[in-house]
Amino acid sequence: MPKIIIDDIEYDVPDGITLIQACELAGVEIPRFCFHERLSIAGNCRMCLVEVVGMPKPVASCAMSVNDLRPGRDGTLPTINTKSETTRRAQEGTLEFLLVNHPLDCPICDQGGECDLQDQAMAYGFDEGRFKDNKRAVEDKYLGPLIKTSMTRCIHCTRCVRFMTEVAGVQELGAIGRGEDMEITTYLERGLHSNLSANVVDLCPVGALTSKPYAFQARPWELTKTQSIDVMDAVGSSIRVDSRGKEVMRILPRINDAVNEEWLSDKARYIWDGLRTQRLDRPYVRKDGKLTPCGWDDAFAAIADRMKTSAGAKFGAIAGDLAAAEEMFALKELSERLGSPNIDCRQAGAKFNPALGRATYVFNTSIAGIEDADALLLVGCDPQIEAPVLNARIRKRWKQLEGHFPVGVIGADVDLTYPYVKLGAGPETLAEVASGKNDFAKILKDAKKPMVVLGQAAFARPDGYEILAVGARIVTERGAIDEGWNGFNVLHTAAARVAGLDLGFVPGEKGLDTGRMIKAAGTGELDVLYLLGADEIDIPALGDAFVIYQGSHGDKGAHRADVILPGAAYTEKDGTYVNTEGRAQMTARAIFPPGEAREDWTILRDLAKALGKPLGFETLRELRAKMYAAAPQLARLDTLEPADAGPIVELARHTIAPGDSPFGLSIADYYLSNPIARASAIMASLSATHADEEKATGTDG
């Protein structure tokens, strides 16, 4: 390890790091605008200049490695001065040049209070500039419905360009012109197409790129900040919910290197306006064909009256994609007390069986483990749509291996942000890989740490169990299961799915799954159907069944319901979610549910009392104690314990006879895939924008 002296103190630092990183390890803050730990080095801003003893001029600490330093002529260690007069004058001079053209409109800038330039001008600047020239003006650019531009403020740090190219994987931003005429632009004057585009708002160190939907809504010091978890997909990204009063004002990412690093999908970031609209804020009961507002006691009484004429076996319950573990556990307990085995959390029809073992339905490699893989097979999934942050991690691995990261795809044509080989469209190609008849099978066999990722389009079909078995055979035959490595991965699309499987929220003995419950409701074999936020099912096929809908939004399920029980959204409750890799995490309540809406587990507790079937808990602590006893892994928050790979080996021995229909796509419209998204005007705008761009041709203006 190299030895260097920083501000008269000797340090041992790791090989290959830059001076700015060495100073950070020493606890010395170096100002910067263009440097970012997760982006390539640009060396544009020169704000990080420091004095290196023996060098004639200050050096850019972001662009010089500690290995480039040489001892002094007298043998003294390389010495860096970050507080010397030379360093101070260099930093002041850089800021003076940056402010020559900056408009200084802090009072009207949305970045005010969270602006790096503002902070560093206070810490490293001076009270008056010496330049009196007219300031440069730059025309604002259109970057889509999410990003507001004020390009006169731009200091050309190129963070946004490097992010879009390196992390998002789309070359949609760049620079034109030179010197004073340089401008950041999209070239084609169209909105950014990436699902990660709004991360450039966080990266921008000035107010050139700000949030268009959030513009002029609030100042940062007015907001209450709550750390929580995103539920728009199954990745479980760490987020911060900023609220004011009764409203969520914005959602930002939190740093979590194990899951989302510091990125967040556009959908997760801008879903907040959907939390305000089309909300269910009071119970409803259908009378004479019309939903009528009522009190909680009346709603429970209507359900109790209907249940008196129905046997427990004719009761069914389906949990939706956004349900937390607590309410699923309470609903399962209620179903058991009613004597019904008809419960299912697999709203999309996936063929998972928790009895086989946890390793058969989680992302065993872990999200961070993607960075150790050296070959990848994607089956029936489109990570760019289903999990944009996870897809960025795959691209990161591809870049780490300098493009020597073979990726094979079996399924529909997808638009990924890294090169891949299309192997085929359906189970027959998957079987060829399993038997070693495909060229990609040899690539997997030769890889030290191969990965196989199966998506919802592969297992949410009648032969889904057989597809899982073929996937299990591939990882066992191709050597993807070894000591410390399990290459069998399931990519879920719903935040609720893994927790539901952990709790065993699947049909009991002789119980009906989602598809059969819907069919039974249509034929009259099922009298009562309880939808716990389940909207992504065939609602018109429910026939004359008595439908109870519990959820936060007036979506498809609520329109069909006979009784509506208003619940809380994920920002309004403390709920446990398990992401696709099996990591238990917890949301935190940022605001209270609107009107008479309640937290979901309390609704089920009180309904059970009204039905004369008390659940045995009164408080959330008591519920969780019972839930943790049933599923201990839910108690180990923010930890990831490898699942036993034995069940995968057993699954591989299953007699395999999959169908021959090709794999499709699991999500029809990424921006409108759940009730909150469909209530969001921002998501509707994004959906329309992307639909228009897909229809456009190369000759369109």
Side-chain angles (χ1 to χ4, degrees):
M1 296 178 70
K3 293 180 181 292
I4 61 175
I5 296 174
I6 301 175
D7 292 338
D8 301 325
I9 302 176
E10 182 179 320
Y11 295 94
D12 291 324
V13 296
D15 260 321
I17 66 171
T18 60
L19 300 189
I20 194 171
Q21 292 171 318
C23 289
E24 285 192 352
L25 291 176
V28 177
E29 181 182 357
I30 303 295
R32 83 290 302 269
F33 291 115
C34 69
F35 177 78
H36 192 278
E37 291 82 355
R38 303 187 198 277
L39 302 177
S40 62
I41 294 171
N44 294 335
C45 71
R46 320 308 285 180
M47 190 64 206
C48 64
L49 293 173
V50 296
E51 179 187 11
V52 177
V53 175
M55 289 193 175
K57 296 187 296 185
V59 301
S61 59
C62 71
M64 177 170 281
S65 168
V66 293
N67 298 88
D68 295 332
L69 299 178
R70 295 291 179 266
R73 292 182 178 179
D74 56 355
T76 57
L77 293 175
T79 301
I80 301 170
N81 294 324
T82 69
K83 297 180 173 61
S84 66
E85 181 65 16
T86 299
T87 299
R88 186 188 66 80
R89 291 182 62 184
Q91 292 167 349
E92 283 188 0
T94 300
L95 263 177
E96 186 174 13
F97 277 121
L98 287 176
L99 294 176
V100 167
N101 281 311
H102 196 76
L104 306 178
D105 49 8
C106 298
I108 60 165
C109 177
D110 274 312
Q111 201 88 314
E114 297 174 318
C115 175
D116 291 351
L117 181 60
Q118 191 178 54
D119 294 341
Q120 293 185 38
M122 292 292 293
Y124 304 98
F126 45 90
D127 60 349
E128 185 178 359
R130 293 170 290 174
F131 296 95
K132 305 300 180 183
D133 297 335
N134 293 329
K135 291 182 180 291
R136 182 184 75 143
V138 181
E139 183 180 354
D140 292 341
K141 307 299 188 295
Y142 174 73
L143 299 185
L146 302 181
I147 303 169
K148 177 176 177 287
T149 61
S150 299
M151 302 311 292
T152 301
R153 302 170 185 161
C154 179
I155 62 170
H156 303 156
C157 71
T158 69
R159 278 186 181 183
C160 55
V161 176
R162 284 176 285 148
F163 171 82
M164 294 301 295
T165 303
E166 298 166 12
V167 180
V170 290
Q171 296 184 358
E172 295 184 329
L173 271 182
I176 59 173
R178 299 183 63 187
E180 188 180 31
D181 296 324
M182 178 178 170
E183 296 183 24
I184 304 296
T185 180
T186 61
Y187 303 124
L188 299 178
E189 295 293 329
R190 70 169 211 174
L192 300 181
H193 193 70
S194 171
N195 295 332
L196 296 169
S197 63
N199 286 286
V200 300
V201 173
D202 297 334
L203 289 172
C204 185
V206 295
L209 305 177
T210 55
S211 173
K212 187 177 288 186
Y214 175 70
F216 311 118
Q217 297 292 313
R219 287 295 194 182
W221 53 85
E222 301 173 342
L223 304 175
T224 300
K225 302 167 179 63
T226 307
Q227 295 187 353
S228 190
I229 300 299
D230 171 57
V231 300
M232 291 298 109
D233 54 34
V235 173
S237 300
S238 296
I239 61 173
R240 192 187 82 195
V241 180
D242 287 359
S243 58
R244 183 176 63 187
K246 298 180 180 180
E247 290 188 344
V248 172
M249 303 303 294
R250 65 176 179 179
I251 294 173
L252 298 174
R254 285 189 292 124
I255 296 177
N256 186 339
D257 289 332
V259 181
N260 60 302
E261 298 185 291
E262 60 187 84
W263 316 128
L264 191 62
S265 71
D266 291 349
K267 183 178 178 181
R269 183 187 294 266
Y270 287 108
I271 200 72
W272 48 263
D273 72 319
L275 296 166
R276 308 173 183 176
T277 55
Q278 292 184 233
R279 290 303 303 268
L280 299 173
D281 58 359
R282 67 185 68 182
Y284 289 83
V285 171
R286 190 175 296 277
K287 295 180 180 178
D288 300 324
K290 185 178 180 181
L291 286 169
T292 306
C294 65
W296 280 102
D297 291 341
D298 294 334
F300 291 153
I303 297 172
D305 289 342
R306 185 64 180 83
M307 291 297 297
K308 289 176 183 177
T309 61
S310 175
K314 290 193 172 186
F315 174 88
I318 303 174
D321 293 348
L322 305 181
E326 286 80 0
E327 52 256 32
M328 284 191 285
F329 178 76
L331 183 53
K332 183 187 179 189
E333 291 283 298
L334 176 59
S335 299
E336 290 176 354
R337 281 162 173 71
L338 293 172
S340 172
N342 308 317
I343 59 173
D344 203 352
C345 67
R346 303 164 302 180
Q347 185 180 224
K351 300 300 184 287
F352 294 114
N353 184 356
L356 294 176
R358 202 171 193 236
T360 63
Y361 61 83
V362 297
F363 201 93
N364 291 285
T365 302
S366 80
I367 295 173
I370 292 172
E371 297 186 33
D372 296 323
D374 49 7
L376 172 63
L377 175 64
L378 299 173
V379 182
C381 65
D382 183 1
Q384 167 75 347
I385 298 296
E386 298 168 17
V389 172
L390 185 144
N391 186 71
R393 186 83 72 150
I394 297 175
R395 175 175 170 79
K396 180 181 180 181
R397 182 55 176 164
W398 174 78
K399 282 179 60 64
Q400 287 173 341
L401 295 180
E402 299 178 342
H404 301 295
F405 182 54
V407 178
V409 171
I410 301 177
D413 292 330
V414 291
D415 182 17
L416 301 179
T417 57
Y418 37 85
Y420 68 88
V421 178
K422 177 71 177 294
L423 304 178
E428 68 285 347
T429 306
L430 193 63
E432 290 176 1
V433 177
S435 60
K437 298 177 182 178
N438 189 290
D439 291 341
F440 202 81
K442 184 178 185 304
I443 293 176
L444 293 175
K445 186 71 174 178
D446 294 341
K448 294 181 180 179
K449 292 185 176 182
M451 285 178 59
V452 177
V453 178
L454 295 102
Q456 183 167 290
F459 47 72
R461 44 189 276 159
D463 59 350
Y465 185 80
E466 286 73 18
I467 300 298
L468 282 172
V470 179
R473 180 171 294 182
I474 289 175
V475 297
T476 54
E477 294 290 334
R478 303 298 116 199
I481 295 181
D482 201 354
E483 184 177 353
W485 183 258
N486 186 342
F488 183 85
N489 300 288
V490 173
L491 179 58
H492 292 277
T493 58
R497 195 78 75 239
V498 177
L501 294 169
D502 283 346
L503 290 168
F505 200 95
V506 293
E509 187 177 356
K510 297 182 180 180
L512 305 177
D513 62 15
T514 296
R516 292 165 63 198
M517 273 191 270
I518 294 171
K519 185 177 179 180
T523 60
E525 298 174 41
L526 204 66
D527 290 342
V528 181
L529 187 62
Y530 201 110
L531 302 181
L532 182 61
D535 295 271
E536 318 308 321
I537 61 174
D538 189 0
I539 298 292
L542 299 181
D544 296 327
F546 186 82
V547 177
I548 306 163
Y549 180 82
Q550 177 181 334
S552 60
H553 284 70
D555 206 70
K556 292 179 279 189
H559 292 165
R560 169 59 186 83
D562 295 286
V563 177
I564 296 176
L565 306 176
Y570 70 104
T571 55
E572 300 160 1
K573 61 186 175 185
D574 297 323
T576 303
Y577 290 87
V578 183
N579 75 349
T580 193
E581 59 180 350
R583 184 188 304 272
Q585 302 179 105
M586 195 173 289
T587 61
R589 184 174 64 196
I591 59 175
F592 287 92
E596 298 176 36
R598 301 180 182 177
E599 289 194 43
D600 293 271
W601 73 270
T602 64
I603 297 173
L604 289 155
R605 177 199 63 189
D606 296 341
L607 174 59
K609 291 179 182 177
L611 297 176
K613 308 286 184 181
L615 301 181
F617 52 79
E618 289 294 328
T619 66
L620 185 58
R621 176 175 291 184
E622 292 173 354
L623 181 154
R624 284 180 175 157
K626 294 188 68 173
M627 183 176 75
Y628 294 157
Q633 63 268 36
L634 298 183
R636 296 188 279 272
L637 295 176
D638 298 315
T639 60
L640 200 58
E641 298 179 359
D644 179 19
I648 299 174
V649 178
E650 291 295 322
L651 182 61
R653 297 177 182 147
H654 174 72
T655 302
I656 300 170
D660 55 4
S661 59
F663 303 129
L665 296 174
S666 61
I667 298 179
D669 192 328
Y670 166 73
Y671 294 105
L672 303 176
S673 62
N674 62 59
I676 303 177
R678 287 189 286 271
S680 166
I682 301 173
M683 293 299 108
S685 174
L686 286 170
S687 176
T689 299
H690 283 256
D692 290 343
E693 288 178 357
E694 288 171 3
K695 292 177 184 176
T697 67
T699 59
D700 288 336

